[in-house]
Amino acid sequence: MKSNTKKFWSMIAGTALCAGSVFLPLQPVMAEEAPAAEAEAPQTAAEWQEQGDTFFQGWYYDEAIDAYGHAIALDKQNADAYAARALAFYCKGNTELSVDKTTGGNTYYARAIADYGQALKLAPQEEKYLLGRGIVYLKLEDADKALADFNSVVAQRPDDYSAYDQRSQAYRELKQYDKAILDLNQALALNDKDYMNNYYRGRVYEDQGDYANADASYDKAIAKDQRFAEAWFHKGIVNEKWGKSSEAIDAYRQFLRYDRVHNPDMTAFAVNHSAERYKPLKK
């Protein structure tokens, strides 16, 4: 089956849109049922894969996984079907991880790795599969394997910003902060409209204790999206550690205003530290 590279690459690049992502609320997916199957079931691998894509885009991952499985059964040489199912497993793992942090997510991530491995057997060094597998390795906290995959992607797609921003995450996990900053700068040079890379750069600077550059990076992310709650939260942290209490309080309050995910730990932290009487974080 012919590979639909453009479509799949856009799906991989949108992994942050998985239900359960820190940047999206989980409730709409958990509260709704998948649409009923069509009266006439798909007959070909292409039709099953198209149905899988429809389910995936609606965040119905169990149904998408099943549909991709039918496509694979009809065409075992369909690398894109394996990779699409891998992505569905990854997103399903994100939702399960939010429910069961000890077992749920890792089971699905392991299945995603297996499917990406099968896709790469059929299409060795296919960059979109390497990028997808690297993202899952990051979730599994295996930064070395993730870095190896991302290095291969960068070598093949040196002008693609998404390869650099993902590799920066591996460098950050490995505490190779200077390399992470270089990759994020390159990603922003290739696509300055992606405000997430300003946020990620802020996180690296925050890890380094460079509060001035972290704050400036969060400001750039917020300038692109005023409702970017996580950027407000970390702006609060760096300003608090920087000794700028009034700026920190304001940032925490902005986080509480725009937060859509309602992570209980982040919410409680912001509530406590946005009060006038709080114990500042240690620098």
Side-chain angles (χ1 to χ4, degrees):
M1 182 178 178
K2 187 176 180 180
S3 171
N4 190 345
T5 301
K6 183 176 181 180
K7 183 175 183 179
F8 187 82
W9 189 262
S10 68
M11 289 172 70
I12 284 291
T15 51
L17 298 181
C18 291
S21 163
V22 69
F23 300 109
L24 286 176
L26 182 61
Q27 186 61 32
V29 182
M30 302 293 285
E32 298 176 2
E33 295 183 357
E38 296 179 5
E40 185 175 342
Q43 300 298 314
T44 67
E47 289 173 349
W48 276 111
Q49 188 163 346
E50 184 176 355
Q51 185 177 88
D53 291 345
T54 299
F55 281 130
F56 178 87
Q57 290 162 11
W59 296 356
Y60 304 113
Y61 301 128
D62 288 325
E63 291 77 9
I65 288 166
D66 180 69
Y68 292 137
H70 284 289
I72 291 167
L74 291 170
D75 182 5
K76 291 183 171 58
Q77 300 303 306
N78 185 349
D80 270 359
Y82 281 106
R85 188 171 68 176
L87 182 55
F89 277 135
Y90 166 79
C91 290
K92 176 67 175 178
N94 284 353
T95 65
E96 291 297 310
L97 191 63
S98 68
V99 176
D100 184 349
K101 294 184 178 181
T102 59
T103 61
N106 287 349
T107 300
Y108 288 102
Y109 297 150
R111 294 176 185 176
I113 292 294
D115 269 357
Y116 277 127
Q118 187 60 39
L120 284 161
K121 285 182 181 178
L122 295 169
Q125 296 302 305
E126 177 59 62
E127 68 273 7
K128 59 185 182 290
Y129 307 156
L130 288 165
L131 183 68
R133 188 174 68 176
I135 291 169
V136 184
Y137 277 137
L138 275 181
K139 205 74 169 180
L140 289 169
E141 299 181 356
D142 194 338
D144 288 309
K145 288 183 179 178
L147 182 60
D149 280 348
F150 296 146
N151 281 337
S152 296
V153 178
V154 169
Q156 295 181 66
R157 298 178 69 93
D159 295 326
D160 192 297
Y161 78 95
S162 59
Y164 293 99
D165 67 36
Q166 292 299 332
R167 190 172 69 172
S168 75
Q169 304 309 304
Y171 281 136
R172 181 186 172 211
E173 290 298 317
L174 294 168
K175 301 187 185 305
Q176 298 181 31
Y177 299 126
D178 290 342
K179 290 182 178 180
I181 292 295
L182 286 173
D183 268 4
L184 288 166
N185 288 342
Q186 181 63 20
L188 286 164
L190 292 167
N191 180 16
D192 62 358
K193 295 181 180 180
D194 188 348
Y195 61 88
M196 286 301 303
N197 283 323
N198 280 307
Y199 171 75
Y200 290 139
R201 188 168 60 179
R203 294 298 304 274
V204 177
Y205 282 131
E206 184 180 332
D207 289 345
Q208 290 180 300
D210 185 345
Y211 304 134
N213 277 320
D215 188 55
S217 293
Y218 294 139
D219 281 344
K220 288 180 180 179
I222 291 167
K224 296 284 187 179
D225 182 359
Q226 182 73 17
R227 297 174 297 175
F228 191 175
E230 288 75 16
W232 281 113
F233 181 84
H234 285 277
K235 179 178 173 64
I237 288 178
V238 298
N239 275 281
E240 187 172 348
K241 290 183 176 180
W242 201 3
K244 297 187 173 184
S245 59
S246 61
E247 290 87 345
I249 290 172
D250 179 67
Y252 289 135
R253 289 175 177 173
Q254 292 296 329
F255 163 75
L256 292 169
R257 176 183 180 185
Y258 294 119
D259 179 35
R260 295 177 296 161
V261 179
H262 305 300
N263 177 294
D265 293 333
M266 293 174 71
T267 300
F269 185 96
V271 168
N272 290 333
H273 288 252
S274 63
E276 295 297 341
R277 49 179 185 81
Y278 74 96
K279 186 177 180 179
L281 294 172
K282 294 181 179 180
K283 296 183 180 179

